[in-house]
Structures are given as C-alpha cells and as structure tokens.
C-alpha cells in the first residue's frame, strides 16, 4: 500500500509539472487522482461469477442494448412522407471507415422493396450484339471483384446551404456510407452482351433503372460504366440489405449516390441520355442566375469532424482529447486532412488511420490537450488531384444558395468551455 | 481491345416482348412514345381522380407534396419554385415519369391514353397549352418548355477545381473569428 501511494503521488507531481510547463491549469484528471477502492474491481461482479448467453442464443446478433442510440435517424419535415425520404447514418458514434450495414443510411423514392433472388432478373438491352436476361444465379458465376467505396447522397449537407440548420454530424453529413462490395464489373456483363456492333464507345451512354416503382432511372456515360462501375450482391461480407438494394445494386465509385441504382433490373446502352426525372427535375444544381448545372456526377473532396460534435460533447473535462472524423473524395484518394481549432486561422495536419484509398472513406485523428478553451473546430480534406475542400463562402461565391446538392463545404463546430458543441457558421 | 473479351455464355437472349415490357424510355425528341392520345378536359377528370389528392386540383400542390405548376421566372429568386412549367427542360420526362412511377403507390396502373391526358392537363395547368389541346405523338414536339435552355453541363472543372487548391496553414484569415450563423434547430 505504502509503495503504491508513493508511486501515485510521484506520478501526480510529474503530471502537474508537465501541465505547468504548458502554462495550462489542471482540471480533474482521473489517471493521476488518488482513488478510493472501486467496487467494480474489489467486489466480485455477477458477470465474473455466473454464466453468459450460450452460443445458440443469437443466430444473428444485434448491437448490445447499451449502444441503442447508434441508429439511423430521420428528420420528418425534410420530406412530404417517409417513403420517398431519407435517413441518416450515425457517423458521430462510429469509428474506422466501414459503415455497419444495419445503421447505414437509406434513401428511397418508393420505399424499400422486397425482391427475392428467385424473382430477380437483370436485362441488358439497347446497342448490344445480343440483348440478355440474367438470373441471380447467372450473376454469381461471373468472375468477381471486391472493393471498398463510399456512397454519398448528392443532397448530403444540402440543408446547410443557407445557414446552420441541423445539430449533429449525423444530420449534416450522415447521408453517406462506406462498404466493401463484392460483385461483378459492369464491363464484364456488358461484354457478355457484346459491344462489337455499336461502334465507338465515346458518346455512348447506359441507362440504368431499378425494379421499384420509382425506377430511379439514370443515364451514365459508357466510358464510366466500362471503367469502374460494378454490380454488387455483397456488402461488408454479406448479402445487401433489403433497404440497400437486395439482391443486386449498382456501384458507381465516386459519383452521387442517386446513380447507385438499387434493385437494378435493366441496363440499356444508348447513343444519348434519357434525361430522366432524376437528372432533370432532381439532381440538377441551380445557380444564382437561375440556370442549373446538370450531370454533376462526381462528389468532390469533403470531410467532417465526427467527434467532438453536437451529438458528441466533451464529457471528460480537460486534458487529452481525441478529435476524429471522416474524409472522402470522388475524384481519388484522400492525401491529407488538416484540422483547425480556431475557425480556420491556423491549421495542423491530422493523422490518417491508413493511407487514403480511391473513392473510399478515410479516418483521421488529431490528439490535443484541451484546457477548456472555446474552439471553432474545422476539418479540410485534400485529395490526390490537389483539390482542397472549400469553405461555404467559396462555394456560395460560385453557386449562390440554391443548388441544393453537392455541398462539400468545410463544417464548423463551436465548442464551449463546458465541452458542448453547436453547428455554426463563422466569419 | 477489351471489348473483344471472351464470353462465358451466361444468361439468355431477351425476347422482344420482355424488352418492350421494361423499356419505357421516352427521349427528349419524343422517340419511343407509345401510341395513344389524351386531351386537357379528359386529363382534368383523370387528374382529379388519381392525382389531385396530393398534387392539388390545379396541380398547384397539396400540403408538402410536389407542386407541378407555377413558379415561372422564379429560378433566380431567393426561394425558386421548380415545377414542370418553370423548371423541367423536356416534356418527354413528364410522360416517362408519370407512366413509370405515378400515381405514388399505384405506379404503372394507368393506360397510355390516361398518361397522355394527365400530361396534357399538367401543361394546361402551367398555361402552356389551351384547353382544347390534345397530346399525342404527333403534337408532342409542338409544346415549348419555358426552361428548355436553362441547363448547362457540370462546369466545376472550369469554375472551381483550379480555384480550390490553396492549402493555407497560418494566418489564413483575420485573427478574430465570430459566429455569423448559429444552429437553427438545436435539437
């Protein structure tokens, strides 16, 4: 006992000395505090004495009940109904880069449909040598690929164009998920139908549509379709979830989520785009002069600090603080993320958990010693094209306030002395 | 070339009837439109029965449901009203989308004549045709859509990518940072 308390005292003095050297006041710091005996340690707990669940209790598990707030959430007033609507991934509470499928966001236009593998058909028609119909079983016999990509809704952060609206990274940035997909390249399938008779690939298009009532048809340049698109039937190791397109969805790396057609039923090769509803009325971006951009396919480099954030206040007091977040770019790999504590006056480079992968999420960390000072937290992503994530002001100067989609601006969280965070815009 | 890759012999040829059943695309020049026709007055009746509960008697929208008419010359306003009349560049999209995906909850239950009639009524509601107008393959291209020239192809390469490359690390703005907008829905 005596030895132990001496050691504690020594370490406490060492810590005080260290804190004094930084010129900062010392708050409540658990690690160095002399503690009374903790009954969770000194008393035998039920879980240490009795038995837990058997291996047959949970054939397919859900998260433990204490993680019950790590769930998709919706904001009812955003849409007229909850069928053609959106919900949000709880990115504030996640770490790493892979999004658990069960809480990965949904966006449907006519609801999440139930489509059995036995009932599934995929048609390829149009300017191909032979129009084809595949069953699900056929698709599993093609050579496979596995790759990880982010899917970001074109409208992610769209509510924030005019100001600071919703309070939490889940709501401001949660129309996104990042999964490891397994499937077949679109090139493989199109070659099976034969691309010999159609002539040049340039200026050709594919039209892709889903089996649901909304259809969600979109036109995609054939060059992109043959470059890196795939049809996926597995995500994060298992079959797609119903709400993510079971049994087959399109993967369009780096491009706006609307084009990742779920329950994919038809791919048509064409000599021109269809100009469907989802690429005229929607997913077009209106500029200040009233003209609108169309075919804004790529999602530009973007990042957000997920903690601290409005849903993740600092509760542990002063001292070591992990600042963490996500960065991604539809134009390539993330090469660096900078973090500012002062609203963008000064920046320091954060640590990437892993080197960036093209069109996939990166996780970043910055470890600081927080002494209760007010902070204006920002993150700024860079990708391997040299593109630097812009401020909202920079974007507004080009686009005005009404483009709805493609808001990849730098986000600011105001953290007060109590560790509470709010969504703000700053000068 | 990769397009000559060896085939695996999977799948089977699609029949003409199968392709016709699923390929409902209508292009901006009206190609691939089905046979049929519908006039404004018929459209008013069909719309009242199948559409007005959500989109209003005059396509002006009910509650939070989409407005299909109005809003001409508002696209540069603070709150633009984007409708078939004010925003949609091509009439083909209206026909294609109504035939494929409307009514909400009962998609692909309308006849081609009904779809022609509904679209004719939406055009009338937007003051784009007279009440004696009949929409068909033949008259389709006679309708001028007000915002047909309102779209430009993605210009980020020219207007943004070159400008967004400054990675300032120190003294990037005046030292005093102030809150200019606070969160509207603190939650």
């Amino acid at each position: 006992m005596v030895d132990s308390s001496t050691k504690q005292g020594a370490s406490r003095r060492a810590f005080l000395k260290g804190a004094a050297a930084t010129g900062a006041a010392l708050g409540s710091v658990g690690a160095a505090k002399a503690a009374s005996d903790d009954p969770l340690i000194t008393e035998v707990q039920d879980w240490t004495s009795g038995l837990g669940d058997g291996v047959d209790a949970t054939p397919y598990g859900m998260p433990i009940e204490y993680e019950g707030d790590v769930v998709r959430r919706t904001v009812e007033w955003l849409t007229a109904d909850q069928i053609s609507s959106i919900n949000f991934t709880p990115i504030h509470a996640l770490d790493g880069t892979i999004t658990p499928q069960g809480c990965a966001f949904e966006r449907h236009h006519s609801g999440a449909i139930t489509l059995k593998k036995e009932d599934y058909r995929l048609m390829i028609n149009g300017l191909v040598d032979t129009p084809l119909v595949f069953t699900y079983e056929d698709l599993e016999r093609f050579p496979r690929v596995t790759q990880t990509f982010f899917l970001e809704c074109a409208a992610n952060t769209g509510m924030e164009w005019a100001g600071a609206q919703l309070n939490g990274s889940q709501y401001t940035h949660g129309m996104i998920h990042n999964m490891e997909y397994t499937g077949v390249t679109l090139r493989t399938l199109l070659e099976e139908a034969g691309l010999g008779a159609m002539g040049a690939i340039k200026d050709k298009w594919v039209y892709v549509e889903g089996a649901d009532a909304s259809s969600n048809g979109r036109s995609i340049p054939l060059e992109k379709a043959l470059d890196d698109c795939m049809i996926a039937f597995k995500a994060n190791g298992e079959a797609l979830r119903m709400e993510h397109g079971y049994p087959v969805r399109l993967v369009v790396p780096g491009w706006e989520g609307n084009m990742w057609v779920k329950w994919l039923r038809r791919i048509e090769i064409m000599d021109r785009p269809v100009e469907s509803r989802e690429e005229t009325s929607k997913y077009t971006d209106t500029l200040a002069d009233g003209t609108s951009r169309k075919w804004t396919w790529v999602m530009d480099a973007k990042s957000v600090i997920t903690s601290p954030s409005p849903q993740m206040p600092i509760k542990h007091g002063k001292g070591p603080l992990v600042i963490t977040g996500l960065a991604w770019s539809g134009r390539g790999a993330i090469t660096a993320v900078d973090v500012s504590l002062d609203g963008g006056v000064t920046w320091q480079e954060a640590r990437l958990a892993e080197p960036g992968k093209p069109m996939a999420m990166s996780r970043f960390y910055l470890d600081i010693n927080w002494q209760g000072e007010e902070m204006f937290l920002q993150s700024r992503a860079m990708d391997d094209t040299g593109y630097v994530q812009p401020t909202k002001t920079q974007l507004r100067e080009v686009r005005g306030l009404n483009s709805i989609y493609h808001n990849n601006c730098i986000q600011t969280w105001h953290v007060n002395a109590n560790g509470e965070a709010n969504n703000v815009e700053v000068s | 070339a990769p397009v000559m890759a060896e085939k695996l012999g999977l799948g089977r040829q699609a029949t003409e009837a199968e392709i016709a059943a699923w390929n409902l695309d209508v292009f901006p020049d009206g190609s691939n439109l089905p046979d049929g026709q519908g006039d404004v007055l018929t459209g008013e009746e069909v719309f009242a029965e199948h559409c007005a509960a959500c989109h209003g008697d005059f396509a002006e929208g009910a509650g939070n449901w989409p407005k299909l008419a109005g809003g001409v010359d508002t696209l540069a306003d603070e709150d633009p009203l984007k409708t078939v009349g004010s925003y949609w560049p091509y009439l083909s999209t209206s026909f294609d989308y109504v035939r494929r995906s409307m009514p909400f909850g009962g998609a692909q239950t309308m006849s081609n004549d009904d779809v022609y009639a509904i679209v004719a009524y939406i055009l009338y509601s937007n003051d784009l045709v007279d009440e004696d107008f009949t929409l068909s393959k033949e008259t389709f291209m006679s309708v001028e859509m007000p915002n047909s020239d309102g779209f430009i192809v993605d210009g980020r390469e020219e207007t943004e990518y070159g400008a967004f490359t400054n990675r300032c690390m120190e003294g990037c703005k005046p030292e005093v940072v102030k809150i200019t907008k606070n969160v509207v829905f603190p939650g």
Side-chain angles (χ1 to χ4, degrees):
Chain A
M1 278 306 281
V2 175
D3 279 348
S4 162
S5 58
T6 305
K7 268 182 200 158
Q8 274 189 353
S11 72
R12 181 174 166 81
R13 278 193 297 277
F15 190 91
L16 277 166
K17 199 176 163 190
T22 65
L26 182 67
S28 60
V29 178
K33 216 165 28 179
S36 56
D37 294 340
D38 183 347
L40 283 167
I41 297 171
T42 57
E43 294 171 12
V44 175
Q45 302 296 311
D46 289 349
W47 56 82
T48 308
S49 178
L51 303 175
D53 288 347
V55 293
D56 56 349
T58 313
Y60 197 105
M62 290 285 287
I64 194 166
E65 59 185 294
Y66 313 115
E67 296 296 315
D69 63 334
V70 186
V71 291
R72 296 187 279 233
R73 290 187 175 84
T74 189
V75 175
E76 282 189 14
W77 55 263
L78 287 176
T79 51
D81 68 292
Q82 297 305 302
I83 302 292
S84 179
S85 193
I86 188 82
N87 64 24
F88 301 92
T89 304
I91 56 170
H92 63 289
L94 303 177
D95 212 315
T97 57
I98 294 295
T99 313
Q101 289 200 86
C103 66
F105 90 102
E106 303 166 68
R107 201 285 187 250
H108 319 302
H109 293 80
S110 294
I113 59 167
T114 307
L115 179 54
K116 280 191 294 195
K117 285 176 180 170
E118 292 78 5
D119 295 342
Y120 180 78
R121 298 289 184 272
L122 176 63
M123 181 183 292
I124 297 180
N125 71 304
L127 302 174
V128 290
D129 300 345
T130 312
L132 293 178
V133 171
F134 299 112
T135 62
Y136 180 81
E137 283 183 329
D138 293 333
L139 298 179
E140 284 202 332
R141 297 170 66 191
F142 282 98
R144 279 176 219 172
V145 290
T146 289
Q147 263 189 293
T148 301
F149 298 111
F150 75 82
L151 183 170
E152 182 183 19
C153 178
N156 200 21
T157 321
M159 303 83 70
E160 303 291 313
W161 270 112
Q165 295 278 319
L166 300 171
N167 220 19
S169 62
Q170 178 170 20
Y171 304 111
T172 57
H173 291 74
M175 295 182 195
I176 193 165
H177 54 62
N178 191 67
M179 300 191 192
E180 184 199 66
Y181 293 98
T182 297
V184 178
T185 67
L186 199 47
R187 174 182 277 274
T188 301
L189 290 186
L190 294 176
E191 284 173 350
E192 190 69 19
L195 303 177
M198 63 168 219
I201 285 168
K202 191 174 156 49
D203 298 328
K204 299 290 192 309
W205 297 73
V206 297
Y207 187 67
V208 287
E209 65 174 17
D212 63 316
S214 83
S215 153
N216 197 54
R218 287 291 307 251
S219 307
I220 299 175
L222 182 56
E223 282 165 315
K224 174 70 173 177
L226 294 174
D227 178 28
D228 60 4
C229 292
M230 58 190 279
I231 60 121
F233 37 77
K234 295 281 168 67
N236 296 346
E238 61 182 351
L240 296 173
R241 295 293 171 97
M242 172 184 78
E243 62 270 31
H244 297 139
Y246 181 94
V248 175
R249 88 172 307 161
L250 192 67
V251 170
V252 190
W255 288 23
E256 61 188 13
N258 177 257
M259 308 176 86
W260 295 49
V261 172
K262 296 187 284 192
W263 314 291
L264 181 71
R265 83 168 190 184
R266 194 170 68 91
I267 304 162
E268 178 181 0
I269 298 192
M270 309 171 302
D271 59 5
R272 59 201 152 144
V274 168
E275 303 272 9
S276 69
R277 188 250 195 182
E278 306 296 332
E279 56 202 11
T280 55
S281 170
K282 307 299 176 189
Y283 307 99
T284 50
D285 314 357
T286 301
L287 304 172
D289 68 359
T291 62
S292 303
R293 289 173 175 169
K294 65 176 182 179
W295 304 341
T296 48
W297 298 310
V298 176
M299 302 306 293
D300 289 322
K302 185 167 173 179
S303 68
V304 65
I305 291 171
T306 52
S307 181
S309 64
Q311 295 157 289
M312 297 292 282
I314 305 166
K315 291 177 176 168
H316 53 57
K318 299 171 184 175
L321 171 68
V322 174
I323 296 172
T324 187
L326 292 164
W328 60 93
S329 171
R331 297 176 69 209
I334 291 296
T335 51
V337 180
D338 299 324
V339 170
S340 176
L341 311 180
D342 57 15
V345 180
T346 59
W347 295 84
Q348 48 192 314
E349 187 166 344
R351 211 160 32 84
L352 296 184
E354 282 186 295
K357 285 182 271 190
M359 298 164 285
M361 274 191 176
S362 286
R363 169 65 57 178
F364 66 86
Y365 300 104
L366 182 72
D367 305 296
I368 69 165
N369 187 354
W370 183 60
Q371 294 304 319
E373 70 276 17
E374 176 184 64
M375 294 188 288
F376 293 97
L377 292 179
Q378 297 183 340
S379 63
R380 183 178 69 188
M382 272 136 291
D383 68 24
D384 56 13
T385 69
Y387 179 96
V388 177
Q389 184 184 357
T391 63
K392 204 187 283 188
T393 303
Q394 283 178 290
L395 287 176
R396 284 173 179 160
E397 281 170 2
V398 180
R399 305 188 200 169
L401 292 173
N402 281 323
S403 54
I404 301 176
Y405 306 107
H406 292 279
N407 185 352
N408 66 319
C409 73
I410 290 171
Q411 172 68 45
T412 308
W413 305 128
H414 175 230
V415 180
N416 68 20
N418 296 325
E420 295 152 351
N422 268 317
N423 178 7
V424 298
E425 287 184 14
V426 293
S427 57
Chain B
V3 291
M4 301 304 285
E6 197 180 334
K7 295 183 184 183
L8 296 174
L10 294 168
R12 50 107 180 146
Q13 189 160 352
T15 69
E16 281 181 29
E18 288 171 339
I19 293 171
W22 277 9
N23 181 7
L24 302 176
D25 312 344
V26 180
F27 291 86
D29 66 1
S31 58
N32 212 25
L33 275 168
D35 293 332
Q37 62 172 41
D39 59 52
V40 170
L41 293 178
T42 306
E44 184 176 23
E45 290 172 23
V46 180
F47 195 90
E49 187 177 344
H50 297 283
C51 318
C54 297
H55 295 297
D57 288 339
F58 307 101
E60 80 281 19
N64 205 12
W65 296 100
K67 297 168 172 57
L68 307 182
V72 170
D73 292 331
T74 65
L75 298 178
D77 292 358
E78 195 175 326
D79 285 310
L81 174 55
K82 299 182 181 180
T83 70
V84 172
S86 70
Y87 192 63
W88 292 36
Y90 306 112
L91 183 58
S92 55
T93 313
S94 297
F95 188 93
D96 180 301
Y97 184 67
V98 171
R99 179 165 64 149
R100 262 183 228 263
S101 299
M102 287 286 134
F104 191 61
Q108 301 196 15
T109 58
M110 313 295 285
S111 69
N112 288 331
D113 284 349
D114 281 347
V115 175
Y116 275 115
I118 289 168
V119 175
Y121 183 69
I122 293 170
L123 290 172
Y124 173 74
S125 300
N126 277 288
D127 301 321
L128 296 175
V129 297
D130 295 329
E131 69 175 16
D132 59 358
F133 179 74
T134 298
L135 186 66
S136 67
K137 259 192 215 183
E138 288 68 39
T139 62
F140 205 79
M141 291 308 288
S142 71
V143 181
E144 282 184 39
M145 300 295 280
N147 198 39
S148 60
D149 293 330
F151 292 82
I152 55 172
V153 173
D154 184 3
R156 284 177 290 178
E157 185 103 40
E158 295 77 34
T159 57
E160 297 181 10
Y161 290 167
F164 299 163
T165 56
N166 178 20
R167 191 185 175 191
C168 173
M169 299 303 283
E170 301 271 347
C172 303
K173 56 165 98 165
E175 289 279 333
V176 182
V177 169
K178 284 186 191 146
I179 295 175
T180 54
K181 288 200 171 146
N182 218 321
V183 64
V184 174
F185 302 98

